[in-house]
Amino acid sequence: EDNNKQPPLPSPLRFSKFFQPNMRILITGGAGFIGSHLVDRLMENEKNEVIVADNYFTGSKDNIKHWIGHPRFELIRHDVTETLLVEVDRIYHLACPASPIYYKYNPVKTIKTNVIGTLNMLGLAKRVGARILLTSTSEVYGDPLVHPQPETYWGNVNPNGVRSCYDEGKRVAETLMFDYHRQHGIEIRVARIFNTYGPRMNIDDGRVVSNFIAQAIRGESLTVQSPGSQTRSFCYVSDLVDGLIRLMEGSDTGPINLGNPGEFTVLELAETVKELIDPDVEIKTVDNTPDDPKQRKPDITKAKEVLGWEPKFALRDGLPLMEEDFRQRLGVPKSK
Ligand code: NAD
Ligand code: UDP
Ligand code: UDP
């Protein structure tokens, strides 16, 4: 028996012998809604190696299960409030619950995720010389007094309300990004994302588009939170992912608004979903939550100029794609 004979290497290692990735990319929150679509897009490029770090609070392995076992993909169960040691060239830092129900569920954890989590990812970027992108939010504008919102607007935010763990958390995260940039020369990119929707949103995650679509498919009344005249602008997820990648690979630090400028009242959204999915469902008015912003619409002049980016999907194009995904997951095929 020849003890020196080596068994063949397992396939991922054998693969790596020939494979030299050009770009090693970390995506925190990559098992979530936007993160998993970003993973899909980045994995399409065979020069990329993608590492996802996620604690599965609002995300799920299901969203990325099609990549598990792929030699260019790695999944780490990790909470960004803890130190992370990996060697990468790019960090897309998305980890943070995005739905009000989830970010208010454990607000102290939400602010730790935003502050300590972002600090850790900046420390990592500093150690390995990576470029880091933060997914900030239109919530940094609070209940805006300027409409539509340009990046130069400083916002109207309640510093100690029930949404503060999220909106003030993201504002501190932006501060950290720019201080690491100014003080340590870290390459940063800051995206301010406006309401985004699409397949793989958590069915019961409480956000307005997912709520209305799930309710319409289940034949339940659509819950419009009063007054219903508040507005939002809804961006389809593939448009958004395109904007994030352009921002990361471009030369502007941001902040840059990424969103669809089409503005709808919540009642108009309910009526559109009703018309598209089931004209028989009812629309009912329910209580709203505190500090709900009354209007929101991105000024995307800067994204157009600097990134050559603008959304392609109108709301009426994107909703049916999301309906299809929700019907599949809810097991309710379209009957009419
Ligand atoms: P999501 O909840 O689907 O995804 C967030 C992911 O982060 C989940 O997979 C979750 O498990 C993970 N996560 C949360 N806390 C973590 C922690 N401490 N450590 C590691 N992982 C953690 O939300 P999303 O809609 O995909 O949002 C992604 C990012 O985009 C968030 O940073 C959010 O603030 C931002 N954003 C989203 C929207 C939107 O409309 N979807 C709008 C503005 C900003
Ligand atoms: N950090 C990390 N991974 C690294 C390097 C740093 O998670 O590869 C974290 C570390 O826990 C630290 C934080 O990033 O608390 C900030 O790091 P930095 O070097 O900026 O600050 P310091 O360690 O000097 O406080
Ligand atoms: N909303 C609603 N019905 C729902 C969920 C949300 O009318 O079932 C409203 C909510 O009051 C807000 C808007 O829809 O005015 C967007 O809420 P969402 O939680 O999706 O995101 P936000 O923009 O507040 O972060």
Side-chain angles (χ1 to χ4, degrees):
E1 184 180 333
D2 179 4
N3 282 329
N4 290 326
K5 202 174 160 206
Q6 296 282 327
L9 290 167
S11 61
L13 292 178
R14 202 168 55 221
F15 189 84
S16 68
K17 212 174 125 188
F18 303 102
F19 172 71
Q20 291 298 323
N22 285 358
M23 196 73 87
R24 293 159 306 169
I25 304 168
L26 170 67
I27 307 179
T28 73
F33 159 54
I34 296 174
S36 64
H37 287 278
L38 182 61
V39 170
D40 288 353
R41 188 75 66 84
L42 292 170
M43 283 294 292
E44 276 172 19
N45 181 344
E46 53 181 49
K47 299 282 185 199
N48 290 339
E49 192 172 273
V50 172
I51 302 174
V52 165
D54 200 296
N55 70 352
Y56 309 128
F57 174 45
T58 52
S60 148
K61 272 189 201 172
D62 241 20
N63 290 336
I64 40 174
K65 62 171 184 288
H66 44 289
W67 295 117
I68 293 173
H70 192 288
R72 287 187 286 109
F73 180 78
E74 199 173 329
L75 177 60
I76 310 172
R77 175 191 287 266
H78 176 79
D79 191 310
V80 291
T81 61
E82 305 288 340
T83 300
L84 177 63
L85 296 176
V86 291
E87 319 303 317
V88 290
D89 308 296
R90 296 279 186 269
I91 303 168
Y92 286 90
H93 178 41
L94 281 68
C96 177
S99 160
I101 292 187
Y102 285 90
Y103 71 63
K104 290 175 190 170
Y105 168 77
N106 185 344
V108 172
K109 177 71 194 198
T110 300
I111 195 123
K112 282 185 187 171
T113 295
N114 275 319
V115 178
I116 303 171
T118 303
L119 182 77
N120 283 338
M121 291 310 104
L122 282 162
L124 170 63
K126 186 177 110 194
R127 183 179 62 82
V128 301
R131 182 181 295 176
I132 177 170
L133 180 150
L134 170 75
T135 52
S136 184
T137 168
S138 54
E139 298 269 334
V140 300
Y141 302 122
D143 190 3
L145 305 174
V146 171
H147 193 76
Q149 295 79 53
E151 291 85 353
T152 47
Y153 178 49
W154 288 355
N156 175 38
V157 178
N158 178 348
N160 52 29
V162 293
R163 297 176 84 100
S164 310
C165 60
Y166 186 73
D167 48 36
E168 290 288 26
K170 290 284 189 180
R171 287 167 68 97
V172 175
E174 286 198 16
T175 309
L176 281 167
M177 292 284 288
F178 280 90
D179 280 338
Y180 267 75
H181 174 62
R182 285 183 288 252
Q183 192 174 333
H184 297 303
I186 306 300
E187 284 190 69
I188 60 157
R189 302 288 182 266
V190 175
R192 287 191 182 146
I193 302 175
F194 285 65
N195 298 60
T196 299
Y197 70 100
R200 295 197 195 135
M201 279 183 98
N202 266 334
I203 286 174
D204 294 304
D205 106 334
R207 282 184 273 187
V208 68
V209 183
S210 47
N211 270 7
F212 286 177
I213 291 193
Q215 287 160 344
I217 292 174
R218 288 167 168 155
E220 295 166 0
S221 305
L222 310 190
T223 52
V224 170
Q225 295 175 351
S226 66
S229 54
Q230 68 272 32
T231 66
R232 292 293 187 275
S233 305
F234 302 100
C235 186
Y236 190 66
V237 65
S238 62
D239 281 333
L240 184 87
V241 163
D242 180 40
L244 289 177
I245 295 173
R246 280 171 191 250
L247 174 60
M248 176 65 104
E249 297 310 327
S251 55
D252 198 290
T253 58
I256 293 195
N257 289 338
L258 293 178
N260 191 317
E263 184 184 11
F264 299 84
T265 68
V266 166
L267 187 58
E268 281 167 346
L269 174 70
E271 280 159 355
T272 309
V273 168
K274 175 180 157 110
E275 181 203 316
L276 288 173
I277 299 185
D278 182 358
D280 293 334
V281 295
E282 282 174 16
I283 295 176
K284 69 175 178 189
T285 304
V286 300
D287 286 345
N288 205 337
T289 53
D291 294 340
D292 185 43
K294 286 183 268 308
Q295 52 180 3
R296 185 182 290 158
K297 169 187 165 133
D299 178 337
I300 60 164
T301 312
K302 190 172 172 188
K304 281 185 187 161
E305 279 173 14
V306 172
L307 308 177
W309 177 88
E310 69 182 310
K312 299 189 180 79
F313 283 83
L315 185 61
R316 277 173 184 276
D317 303 329
L319 287 177
L321 302 173
M322 187 162 164
E323 177 191 356
E324 214 177 289
D325 170 67
F326 269 46
R327 283 195 182 278
Q328 229 166 50
R329 286 193 282 154
L330 288 167
V332 184
K334 201 166 178 99
S335 53
K336 303 168 250 183

